[in-house]
Amino acid sequence: MDKMSTLEYINQMFPTEASLSGVEPLMQKIQSEIRRVDAGILAAVRQQSNSGTKAKEDLAAATHAVEELTYKIREIKTKAEQSEIMVQEICRDIKKLDFAKKHITTTITALHRLTMLVSAVEQLQIMASKRQYKEAAAQLEAVNQLCSHFEAYRDIPKITELREKIKNIKQILKSHVFSDFSSLGTGKESEETNLLQHLSDACLVVDALEPSVREELVNNFCSRELTSYEQIFEGAELAKLDKTERRYTWIKRRMRTNEEIWKIFPTSWLVPYRLCIQFCKKTRKQLEGILDNMKEKPDVATLLMALQRTIEFEDELAEKFGGGTQSREIGNEIEEIGRRSNSQSASDIRKKYEKKLAAHQGSENEEKDGNKDLSAPGAGFNFHGIISSCFEPHLTVYIELEEKTLMENLEKLVQEETWDVEEGSQNNVLSSSMQLFLIIKRSLKRCSALTKSQTLYNLFKVFQRVLKAYATKLFARLPKGGTGIVAAATGMDGQIKTSDRDERVICYIVNSAEYCHKTSGELAESVAKIIDTQYADQVDMSEVQDEFSAVITKSLVTLVHGLETKFDAEMAAMTRVPWGTLESVGDQSGYVNGINMILSSSIPALGSLLSPIYFQFFLDKLASSLGPRFYLNIFKCKQISETGAQQMLLDTQAVKTILLEIPSLGRQTSGAAGYSKFVSREMSKAEALLKVILSPVDSVADTYRALLPEGTPMEFQRILELKGLKKSDQQSILDDFNKGSPVISQPSGAAAAASQAIPQAQSATTVPAMSNPASAGFIASREDVLTRAAALGRGAATTGFKRFLALTEAAKDRKDGPFRKLFNA
């Protein structure tokens, strides 16, 4: 117990007085333990003393043993050196004999092989002279192997003589083989029954000769086979584009007829494969000459028929000799246009086809590498495009025909368009847009079956022009209208008046433009997978998609303008109410019921036809129009009594309630929270204005500053006029107001603007502007109006509609900035 003190130990052993009786036994026990420990210590000391002495003795003995061992090792090393010298003296003569034996053995072996080589060469010479090809092939293999053993003896005259003799024999064999093969295809094989077997044996000799001999023999055979082809199809009668199919019939018949005869060639020579490659190259050269020498543009039907037959022939060769066709994969890719899920991004689709593109890319690169020996066996020659690519520079007439046909179909579709959608339709898209993409898909299928190079890219550019033309057609179908500075910036002339049918048509146009926007992107992705890799990066539909985004933007703005126009009569009715002589506050006024009726008849149809994002945009624009317009319309009233202000405040609450119920009326409540906050903020300005009118004369200035802190003295003066104050009474209140209000810059002509009624709001998408440019500062400067109008009219088309929506959504909750002012307008 290291940490326990003596006192603690004693207290633990004897805690009570009674326990002291055990002290004596404990002391005896401790004394006994002390004696035992002392004895143990003494024994250990004695043992250690004895061990030290023994260790010294052991160390001395070990040192002596090491000295003896060192002496013995030195003695053994001396004896080993003496033994080595003795062995070297004994073996000196034996080593000389061993080297002599090795040289004699090598000499005997070399002489034996030389004898065999001389004998083999003599036999080979006899076989070559007698054209015994089968025996000569085996003998030539043996001679080649024997010659390899004499590579180190090239300078010896006898070896040089033998090598020269072997070279001459090989030349003789080569000339004999080439001479015999010249009779192949001349009809002698039917007369001489052994000729084919003889030539088959000759092939064995060719394999035993250098590889260049085989290449030369096959090339000569292919050239001789195609000589008649060149003569036949270079004549005036068959050297025409419409006779192209007969070329392929000729080579297929030739291969079918000679199939049995050509079996004399070893399979590894790939004679039919090499023959087809040379045939394709010669055919391409002849077709290029025919196409280049045409004085007029070729007939499209003839050109396409020749190209189609050429591609079919290339597919047959690719399938026969390896490679297969790609038309099925291309067809599946085209069929996916318009069917893909919206959640599937372009990057996901690209990853899906990454492996397929990588597999095709290798063969395409080989085809374009002119320096590679594609005719060598196993080189992976790609037959796709070997002939058909020569048609590529001459397919302009085909593209022109496709464009003409597409444009004619577009005109027909637009003319036959009913601008209506069948009941029960899920997407509410115009049939012309879906039919247009079906026509484009058929055109893409036709072209992709013919070419995947420059012509397909040119057709893609045609698709862009056709889709832009369709976007223009949709633009033209929108109702025209609008006045003032904003209308000039947005390209609208005249007031927009829309019926219920017009509103449905506008919704169909929005949905169709959205469908075209999405499907045109899918079209570009599909073309990028099909087209050659050097054109894939240039395939882009962003400009076309911007066109359809602009259609969507203008359609929704037109929809708001049309609904605004319907409110004109109700706003005019509001100003005609005798607010200054009302005797009591009753139910909501008639113009409020009119507003409610207009919205109740239009909103449900719009909510059912528009997608949530576009319906939300429409609601925001409607609220940003109707709120400020209602506010400004109050200033257009002549005079408002206290009772009239109370009635108008009641009407304002009713209008606010009507606007807040629009999302549920349209059965779309996804963005209702943000919209409700927006409506409340806009309508609260009209409520604040009416509360100022209701306030006593002596506190009207303080109330105005508190409720409308951004108000101007000009606006305040108009409020005093609405309250019915005389000019003399107004002046003193205005003086007090100007002294207590912060400095507010006013444009020139402010006094004239204050005395006249505020004109009606112009647009749902812009701030209301004064008809007199000099007085435009009442709400905003002329430059602000132009800037906002331009941003709305052109900004959406250039930056993308969805980005525009995101900006407007974010701008709702901002208290400053030009975009916030646009929503406040």
Side-chain angles (χ1 to χ4, degrees):
M1 293 181 289
D2 297 336
K3 296 183 179 180
M4 185 174 287
S5 64
T6 305
L7 183 60
E8 289 177 352
Y9 178 72
I10 294 174
N11 290 335
Q12 183 179 352
M13 297 299 296
F14 306 103
T16 61
E17 186 177 351
S19 63
L20 294 176
S21 59
V23 172
E24 189 65 28
L26 179 63
M27 292 297 294
Q28 293 177 1
K29 182 180 178 181
I30 292 173
Q31 290 293 334
S32 176
E33 183 70 18
I34 290 172
R35 285 194 296 272
R36 185 177 65 77
V37 171
D38 288 343
I41 292 172
L42 181 62
V45 169
R46 288 175 178 171
Q47 184 178 359
Q48 184 65 28
S49 176
N50 294 334
S51 297
T53 305
K54 187 176 179 182
K56 289 180 181 179
E57 292 175 354
D58 292 343
L59 180 62
T63 303
H64 180 70
V66 168
E67 290 176 353
E68 288 182 355
L69 181 60
T70 303
Y71 173 75
K72 289 181 180 179
I73 289 171
R74 190 179 299 112
E75 186 178 359
I76 291 171
K77 185 176 181 181
T78 303
K79 290 181 179 180
E81 292 174 352
Q82 294 173 356
S83 299
E84 183 179 3
I85 294 171
M86 186 182 298
V87 169
Q88 288 178 353
E89 290 177 354
I90 294 172
C91 296
R92 183 178 294 116
D93 295 334
I94 297 175
K95 188 178 292 186
K96 289 180 181 178
L97 293 174
D98 186 49
F99 279 118
K101 179 184 177 182
K102 182 178 180 180
H103 292 322
I104 291 172
T105 304
T106 303
T107 303
I108 292 172
T109 303
L111 289 173
H112 179 64
R113 287 175 177 171
L114 180 61
T115 303
M116 292 173 61
L117 178 60
V118 171
S119 175
V121 170
E122 291 175 353
Q123 293 177 21
L124 180 62
Q125 189 172 17
I126 296 171
M127 294 173 184
S129 62
K130 295 181 178 181
R131 301 194 178 190
Q132 298 174 346
Y133 292 136
K134 188 173 184 179
E135 295 79 3
Q139 194 70 12
L140 186 58
E141 291 284 352
V143 169
N144 289 335
Q145 290 181 6
L146 289 171
C147 280
S148 62
H149 295 294
F150 294 96
E151 288 294 328
Y153 308 106
R154 282 177 170 271
D155 297 334
I156 296 176
K158 181 62 178 177
I159 300 299
T160 304
E161 180 184 347
L162 278 174
R163 293 179 70 87
E164 189 64 29
K165 189 174 182 179
I166 293 170
K167 182 178 179 181
N168 293 334
I169 295 172
K170 286 182 177 181
Q171 191 62 37
I172 292 170
L173 282 171
K174 176 183 175 182
S175 62
H176 287 340
V177 169
F178 275 61
S179 175
D180 291 345
F181 264 100
S182 63
S183 61
L184 184 64
T186 59
K188 290 185 178 181
E189 57 269 12
S190 59
E191 299 174 2
E192 301 177 19
T193 55
N194 295 328
L195 178 60
L196 295 180
Q197 183 60 44
H198 187 66
L199 293 178
S200 179
D201 295 341
C203 291
L204 300 176
V205 174
V206 173
D207 276 335
L209 295 171
E210 287 77 11
S212 59
V213 176
R214 183 184 65 186
E215 291 294 314
E216 185 180 352
L217 178 64
V218 174
N219 288 333
N220 288 346
F221 169 75
C222 294
S223 299
R224 191 168 61 253
E225 283 290 321
L226 296 175
T227 301
S228 59
Y229 167 74
E230 290 180 315
Q231 294 172 351
I232 293 171
F233 289 94
E234 281 183 353
E237 182 180 352
L238 295 179
K240 296 178 181 178
L241 196 60
D242 56 353
K243 307 296 184 186
T244 303
E245 185 176 5
R246 298 184 62 176
R247 297 173 178 270
Y248 311 131
T249 304
W250 183 90
I251 187 64
K252 287 188 283 188
R253 184 174 60 250
R254 188 75 177 174
M255 292 176 66
R256 187 169 54 250
T257 304
N258 296 323
E259 184 176 5
E260 292 297 324
I261 297 176
W262 292 351
K263 285 183 178 179
I264 63 173
F265 297 107
T267 307
S268 60
W269 286 20
L270 302 173
V271 172
Y273 172 78
R274 300 276 296 278
L275 178 65
C276 288
I277 291 177
Q278 287 203 24
F279 170 81
C280 291
K281 291 180 178 179
K282 291 181 182 296
T283 302
R284 176 190 174 91
K285 185 177 180 181
Q286 290 185 352
L287 289 177
E288 281 179 343
I290 293 172
L291 290 168
D292 291 339
N293 294 330
M294 281 187 171
K295 298 179 180 178
E296 299 179 354
K297 288 185 178 180
D299 177 65
V300 177
T302 304
L303 182 67
L304 294 184
M305 180 59 70
L307 178 57
Q308 181 65 35
R309 294 294 177 262
T310 301
I311 292 173
E312 290 173 359
F313 177 67
E314 291 173 349
D315 286 342
E316 290 178 16
L317 293 182
E319 191 170 359
K320 181 178 179 65
F321 298 112
T325 61
Q326 308 171 25
S327 58
R328 186 180 300 276
E329 294 177 3
I330 292 170
N332 293 338
E333 178 64 40
I334 296 172
E335 286 301 324
E336 287 296 316
I337 299 173
R339 298 181 181 177
R340 295 169 183 158
S341 170
N342 292 335
S343 61
Q344 189 177 21
S345 65
S347 59
D348 294 335
I349 298 170
R350 189 171 294 277
K351 289 178 182 178
K352 176 182 176 182
Y353 292 95
E354 214 170 41
K355 293 182 179 179
K356 294 181 181 179
L357 289 173
H360 297 326
Q361 189 174 2
S363 60
E364 290 170 359
N365 290 340
E366 288 176 356
E367 179 184 354
K368 291 160 191 167
D369 186 2
N371 297 325
K372 186 174 181 181
D373 184 13
L374 298 174
S375 61
F381 187 83
N382 186 4
F383 284 98
H384 291 293
I386 183 174
I387 304 174
S388 58
S389 57
C390 73
F391 289 85
E392 197 72 36
H394 305 277
L395 289 175
T396 308
V397 290
Y398 163 66
I399 295 301
E400 292 173 353
L401 179 62
E402 284 285 359
E403 183 169 9
K404 180 182 177 183
T405 305
L406 286 171
M407 288 299 184
E408 289 175 353
N409 285 325
L410 174 61
E411 291 294 335
K412 183 179 179 181
L413 288 173
V414 174
Q415 288 175 7
E416 296 176 354
E417 179 61 70
T418 60
W419 302 101
D420 203 352
V421 174
E422 296 180 4
E423 263 185 68
S425 178
Q426 295 181 352
N427 51 13
N428 293 318
V429 175
L430 295 172
S431 62
S432 59
S433 60
M434 294 185 288
Q435 291 295 327
L436 178 60
F437 275 100
L438 287 176
I439 294 171
I440 287 176
K441 284 164 64 174
R442 287 197 292 268
S443 176
L444 179 57
K445 269 189 175 181
R446 286 194 298 270
C447 185
S448 60
L450 300 175
T451 175
K452 302 167 195 64
S453 190
Q454 179 68 45
T455 301
L456 181 57
Y457 179 71
N458 293 340
L459 182 65
F460 175 75
K461 303 295 285 184
V462 171
F463 292 159
Q464 288 181 322
R465 293 193 289 272
V466 171
L467 290 173
K468 287 181 180 179
Y470 183 63
T472 304
K473 299 289 184 183
L474 295 180
F475 262 123
R477 183 59 182 80
L478 293 173
K480 304 296 186 295
T483 57
I485 299 174
V486 175
T490 55
M492 295 184 176
D493 300 319
Q495 198 174 33
I496 298 179
K497 293 183 179 180
T498 55
S499 62
D500 292 344
R501 171 173 167 73
D502 290 334
E503 290 176 353
R504 288 198 307 273
V505 170
I506 292 173
C507 292
Y508 297 148
I509 291 175
V510 170
N511 295 334
S512 300
E514 182 184 15
Y515 169 79
C516 293
H517 183 283
K518 177 177 74 71
T519 311
S520 60
E522 294 175 359
L523 174 64
E525 292 167 10
S526 297
V527 174
K529 308 306 176 297
I530 297 169
I531 202 167
D532 289 345
T533 51
Q534 67 264 32
Y535 298 102
D537 293 338
Q538 303 175 44
V539 175
D540 183 32
M541 275 286 187
S542 58
E543 291 184 5
V544 174
Q545 290 178 317
D546 287 344
E547 290 284 339
F548 286 112
S549 294
V551 172
I552 296 172
T553 304
K554 186 173 180 181
S555 300
L556 293 174
V557 170
T558 303
L559 201 59
V560 176
H561 275 287
L563 206 56
E564 255 192 332
T565 304
K566 293 182 179 182
F567 293 140
D568 288 349
E570 310 307 327
M571 294 292 104
M574 176 182 172
T575 60
R576 289 195 297 268
V577 174
W579 301 106
T581 59
L582 283 181
E583 297 179 356
S584 63
V585 178
D587 292 336
Q588 62 189 33
S589 303
Y591 70 90
V592 178
N593 295 330
I595 292 175
N596 188 29
M597 188 177 299
I598 293 171
L599 294 175
S600 298
S601 65
S602 297
I603 295 301
L606 300 181
S608 63
L609 294 177
L610 292 176
S611 62
I613 184 172
Y614 298 132
F615 185 70
Q616 183 64 37
F617 176 79
F618 165 75
L619 292 185
D620 292 343
K621 284 302 169 187
L622 182 62
S624 65
S625 165
L626 194 54
R629 186 176 183 185
F630 189 87
Y631 175 85
L632 294 176
N633 214 51
I634 296 175
F635 286 99
K636 297 175 69 175
C637 299
K638 295 180 180 179
Q639 185 176 340
I640 305 175
S641 64
E642 183 176 347
T643 304
Q646 291 175 355
Q647 178 64 46
M648 195 177 290
L649 189 59
L650 176 66
D651 294 343
T652 303
Q653 292 288 343
V655 172
K656 179 179 178 181
T657 303
I658 292 170
L659 291 177
L660 291 175
E661 290 176 352
I662 288 180
S664 59
L665 194 63
R667 296 185 180 86
Q668 293 194 20
T669 57
S670 57
Y675 169 75
S676 299
K677 182 180 178 182
F678 187 49
V679 169
S680 300
R681 185 165 60 242
E682 294 299 328
M683 294 304 295
S684 64
K685 297 178 183 178
E687 294 174 352
L689 175 60
L690 293 172
K691 289 176 183 179
V692 173
I693 296 174
L694 279 170
S695 62
V697 176
D698 54 352
S699 62
V700 65
D702 294 334
T703 305
Y704 180 72
R705 275 194 290 265
L707 297 181
L708 297 169
E710 296 181 358
T712 63
M714 190 187 314
E715 200 175 73
F716 180 66
Q717 182 181 355
R718 181 61 183 140
I719 291 174
L720 296 180
E721 292 176 358
L722 290 175
K723 288 178 70 67
L725 295 179
K726 297 179 181 179
K727 291 288 185 181
S728 57
D729 297 334
Q730 292 180 22
Q731 191 59 43
S732 59
I733 297 175
L734 282 172
D735 292 340
D736 293 338
F737 176 78
N738 290 330
K739 291 178 182 178
S741 62
V743 178
I744 301 176
S745 60
Q746 300 182 31
S748 61
S755 62
Q756 64 182 2
I758 300 176
Q760 182 180 349
Q762 298 295 323
S763 169
T765 56
T766 59
V767 297
M770 304 298 291
S771 58
N772 182 6
S775 61
F778 184 82
I779 300 300
S781 67
R782 180 174 181 273
E783 289 75 10
D784 288 340
V785 175
L786 289 173
T787 301
R788 296 171 190 176
L792 178 65
R794 296 184 293 274
T798 55
T799 61
F801 182 66
K802 292 187 177 179
R803 182 182 173 196
F804 179 70
L805 289 182
L807 290 173
T808 56
E809 189 69 24
K812 291 181 188 177
D813 298 324
R814 293 187 58 184
K815 296 181 179 179
D816 54 1
F819 226 90
R820 175 62 239 165
K821 293 176 183 177
L822 177 60
F823 267 86
N824 288 338

